Amino acid sequence: IIMIQDLDKTIGVLLSEKADHGSELAAADISFAVPDREWQKHGHGLDLNVYLYDIRENVELRTNENRFEKKPGGTVTRITPCPRIDCAYIITAWNKATPSHQEDKELQEHRLLTQVMRVLFRYPVIPGDCLRGSLAGQEPDLPLIAALKHELPDPVEFWSPLGCAVRPSVNCVVTVSLSLDRSEDVPVVKRRDIDYRLLKSVL
């Protein structure tokens, strides 16, 4: 089961197809590569980098309650609940076009980030038509949280190893279910017999 790769594709579709028509975001190149010096050398236009920097279980959503599905023949399938995983991305805008006297490159980058936030805040749950691969039809829905201060990595610690000055960024956390394929067929309990007996005490 390919989960993270499908999530990357899903976020790419969300940002490009749900962007305002004619906006820079709708036409931007979206990359999921590490935004290091080597990546920064390539490209000639307005690029959006969506980098996955953290993966961990959402323990607040952890549950031990099994789910049961009825099957023909008098059995049910007991399904073990899936762990819920938070995938955190840091999103940055990069203008690699030739400098123009009409507008600063940074202004275009900031406008692109604004357009990103418009999409992320518009969809607190990823729409079904954007889900790709193994995420299509996944239940429960995939919640999306953006621009949370405490979720961002330390800017200096993040950018210094990449050989880059600190850049403005938007963070995005998507919660997905990790399928473990743990299920088993169990018989259905149709009757319960309870036997009441009077016990004599011995003095």
Side-chain angles (χ1 to χ4, degrees), residues 35-166:
D36 55 12
R37 288 181 178 178
E38 186 62 30
W39 178 82
Q40 297 170 31
K41 295 177 183 178
H42 302 283
H44 305 283
L46 193 58
D47 293 344
L48 190 70
N49 186 277
V50 184
Y51 178 64
L52 178 64
Y53 70 87
D54 189 61
I55 305 171
R56 64 185 63 195
E57 182 188 2
N58 188 321
V59 294
E60 295 181 356
L61 298 179
R62 182 186 295 176
T63 177
N64 294 320
E65 296 183 3
N66 293 320
R67 182 164 57 90
F68 295 89
E69 291 184 357
K70 292 183 178 180
K71 298 292 183 180
T75 63
V76 297
T77 299
R78 179 170 57 199
I79 302 174
T80 302
C82 299
R84 305 294 299 282
I85 307 299
D86 286 343
C87 297
Y89 294 83
I90 186 167
I91 304 174
T92 47
W94 302 75
N95 194 340
K96 302 175 182 178
T98 303
S100 171
H101 297 293
Q102 297 180 354
E103 186 177 33
D104 291 339
K105 296 174 63 174
E106 290 75 15
L107 292 180
Q108 292 179 310
E109 293 174 349
H110 296 171
R111 187 165 58 242
L112 180 58
L113 287 179
T114 300
Q115 295 167 5
V116 168
M117 287 191 292
R118 285 175 57 86
V119 173
L120 297 182
F121 279 102
R122 192 180 296 154
Y123 296 98
V125 173
I126 297 182
D129 60 343
C130 293
L131 299 176
R132 293 295 182 268
S134 62
L135 301 184
Q138 185 177 110
E139 295 182 358
D141 295 330
L142 277 63
L144 183 154
I145 302 175
L148 287 181
K149 181 178 180 180
H150 70 277
E151 295 288 350
L152 278 172
D154 181 86
V156 176
E157 293 181 359
F158 180 83
W159 291 108
S160 293
L162 299 178
C164 180
V166 175

